[in-house]
């Protein structure tokens, strides 16, 4: 018989295992940004104005018969060569900036 005044062996709770701490994440490399442009590229602006003037001369020649010395022959060639040169400079700039 058991005496009610004597405490019985109570089940002892087992401690739950604590999870292992998560490893620290790898540090991210520091990102550096190029400074924003401070103003217009004046060389490009002048070149663009020149091309617009040549294009306006070619259009005036085609629409109204306006004649400028050799503009009919040189105008389209100048625009194509200038456009290719601008595209080449842009590609070189993009490739140089990625490095």
């Amino acid at each position: 018989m058991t005496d009610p005044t004597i405490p019985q062996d109570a089940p002892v709770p087992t401690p739950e295992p604590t999870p292992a701490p998560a490893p620290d994440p790898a540090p991210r490399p520091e990102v550096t940004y190029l400074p924003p442009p401070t103003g217009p590229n004046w060389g490009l602006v002048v070149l663009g104005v020149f091309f617009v003037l040549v294009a306006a001369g070619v259009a005036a020649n085609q629409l109204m018969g306006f004649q400028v010395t050799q503009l009919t022959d040189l105008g389209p060639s100048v625009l194509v060569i200038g456009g290719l040169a601008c595209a080449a400079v842009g590609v070189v700039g993009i490739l140089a900036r990625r490095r």
Side-chain angles (χ1 to χ4, degrees):
M1 290 213 257
T2 59
D3 187 12
T5 58
I6 300 175
Q8 297 290 327
D9 289 332
V12 178
T14 57
E16 294 182 18
T18 58
D24 291 335
R28 292 185 174 181
E30 185 175 332
V31 177
T32 57
Y33 296 98
L34 294 174
T38 56
N41 182 343
W42 289 111
L44 186 60
V45 170
V46 170
L47 186 65
V49 169
F50 173 73
F51 287 146
V52 167
L53 291 175
V54 171
V58 170
N61 182 25
Q62 296 294 321
L63 296 176
M64 297 180 287
F66 177 74
Q67 292 293 324
V68 176
T69 307
Q70 297 180 348
L71 184 60
T72 305
D73 298 331
L74 295 178
S77 300
V78 168
L79 290 176
V80 170
I81 292 170
L84 291 174
C86 288
V89 169
V91 168
V92 168
I94 288 172
L95 294 176
R97 192 168 213 183
R98 286 188 181 178
R99 292 182 188 170

